[in-house]
Amino acid sequence: MCCGQQRSLSKDDFTDRTSSAAVDDLRGRLADTEARLARARAREAELTHRLHQMRRFLSVMEILEDYLKRRYHQQQQRLARLLSPSPNR
């Protein structure tokens, strides 16, 4: 090529540019998908952590509830013994 002439675009040039643009687009979409996946995994980890904390809390509450029920029944039994007439009277 001489004298400032430009080469005309061939079908192969257009195909190469289209393929390159398609590959770039796919790479961008893949990067977006990977970023969304990373955010979803982080959210899942946070929710899993919170779920374990809630389960631990519920276990503690159940233990406390059982303890308090037991103590309540013990107090009821003591009170009943105190208020019942003794056979020696």
Side-chain angles (χ1 to χ4, degrees):
M1 287 202 252
C2 64
C3 304
Q5 292 180 350
Q6 292 183 338
R7 187 169 67 99
S8 62
L9 294 175
S10 69
K11 184 176 180 180
D12 291 337
D13 289 334
F14 181 73
T15 302
D16 288 344
R17 287 184 184 162
T18 304
S19 296
S20 177
V23 168
D24 289 342
D25 179 56
L26 288 173
R27 283 184 180 140
R29 291 169 59 188
L30 177 60
D32 290 342
T33 301
E34 287 173 342
R36 283 196 315 272
L37 181 59
R39 288 191 300 272
R41 285 181 176 152
R43 179 73 175 144
E44 179 187 19
E46 172 63 23
L47 291 173
T48 299
H49 176 71
R50 290 176 60 189
L51 177 62
H52 289 307
Q53 286 180 323
M54 291 172 78
R55 285 180 176 163
R56 195 174 323 130
F57 175 79
L58 285 175
S59 293
V60 170
M61 289 296 111
E62 288 171 350
I63 291 167
L64 284 172
E65 181 183 29
D66 289 342
Y67 170 77
L68 291 172
K69 281 180 183 179
R70 200 168 47 249
R71 292 283 294 155
Y72 176 75
H73 290 297
Q74 289 171 352
Q75 294 296 330
Q76 276 186 323
Q77 290 170 352
R78 284 185 188 139
L79 185 60
R81 280 194 307 269
L82 288 173
L83 295 178
S84 68
S86 80
N88 294 349
R89 291 186 190 174

